[in-house]
C-alpha cells in the first residue's frame, strides 16, 4: 500500500510544475519540524516534570528496586506519551494545508491544491511521528 501511495504521488508530481513538488516538500519539512518543536516544548516538558515528581515521591520509600521504579514511572506516563503522536497528527493536519494554500498560486486548481495538501500532511506527519516514536 505504501509503495502504491508513493507511485501515485510520483505520477501526480510528474504532471505538475517542478515548483509544486519543491513547495510541498519544503512545507512538509517545515511543518514536521515545527510539530516536533511544539510537542517537545509542550507535552514532553510536561511529561519530564511529571516523571521527576513521581521519582521524587517514590524515591523517599525504603527498599527501592530501580527496575520496578522505572517500570512504575513508565506505566504512569505511557498513555500521555501516546498522546504526542495524536497531537502531532493533529498539528500537521491543521498547519500543512494552511501553509500550502499560502505558498501556491491562487489559480491552482482545487483538485491539485487538495492533492498537494494531502501529500504535505502525509509527509509532515511521517517526519514528526518518526521522530516522536524514536524519542
Amino acid at each position: 500500500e505504501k509503495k502504491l501511495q508513493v507511485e501515485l504521488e510520483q505520477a501526480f508530481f510528474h504532471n505538475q510544475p517542478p515548483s509544486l513538488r519543491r513547495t510541498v516538500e519544503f512545507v512538509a519539512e517545515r511543518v514536521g519540524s515545527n510539530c516536533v518543536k511544539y510537542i517537545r516544548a509542550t507535552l514532553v516538558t510536561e511529561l519530564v516534570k511529571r516523571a521527576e515528581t513521581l521519582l521524587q515521591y517514590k524515591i523517599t520509600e525504603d527498599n527501592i528496586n530501580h527496575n520496578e521504579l522505572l517500570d512504575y514511572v513508565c506505566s504512569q506516563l505511557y498513555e500521555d506519551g501516546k498522546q504526542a503522536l495524536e497531537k502531532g497528527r493533529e498539528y500537521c493536519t491543521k498547519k500543512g494545508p494552511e501553509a500550502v494554500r499560502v505558498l501556491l498560486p491562487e489559480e491552482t486548481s482545487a483538485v491539485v491544491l487538495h492533492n498537494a495538501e494531502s501529500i504535505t500532511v502525509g509527509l509532515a506527519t511521517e517526519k514528526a511521528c518518526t521522530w516522536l516514536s524514536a524519542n
Side-chain angles (χ1 to χ4, degrees), residues 36-51:
V36 169
K37 289 176 188 171
Y38 169 76
I39 296 294
R40 285 175 71 182
T42 57
L43 190 62
V44 172
T45 302
E46 180 185 318
L47 288 174
V48 168
K49 287 179 184 174
R50 282 195 47 218

Side-chain angles (χ1 to χ4, degrees), residues 60-116:
T60 59
E61 296 177 4
D62 292 333
N63 300 325
I64 298 171
N65 179 317
H66 293 293
N67 289 334
E68 289 177 7
L69 181 60
L70 183 60
D71 287 344
Y72 170 76
V73 170
C74 289
S75 69
Q76 295 297 308
L77 301 177
Y78 177 75
E79 288 301 317
D80 291 335
K82 281 186 3 183
Q83 284 182 0
L85 293 173
E86 187 55 39
K87 286 187 183 224
R89 285 186 189 96
E90 289 172 9
Y91 183 95
C92 293
T93 300
K94 179 178 184 247
K95 300 290 185 176
E98 290 175 2
V100 168
R101 277 185 236 117
V102 168
L103 293 174
L104 290 180
E106 289 183 18
E107 57 274 358
T108 303
S109 75
V111 173
V112 170
L113 185 60
H114 176 72
N115 286 332

Side-chain angles (χ1 to χ4, degrees), residues 116-128:
E117 290 172 351
S118 296
I119 293 169
T120 300
V121 168
L123 293 174
T125 302
E126 183 179 329
K127 175 188 173 34

Side-chain angles (χ1 to χ4, degrees), residues 14 33 35 82 96-97 133:
H14 181 72
S33 178
C35 174
K82 281 186 3 183
S133 295

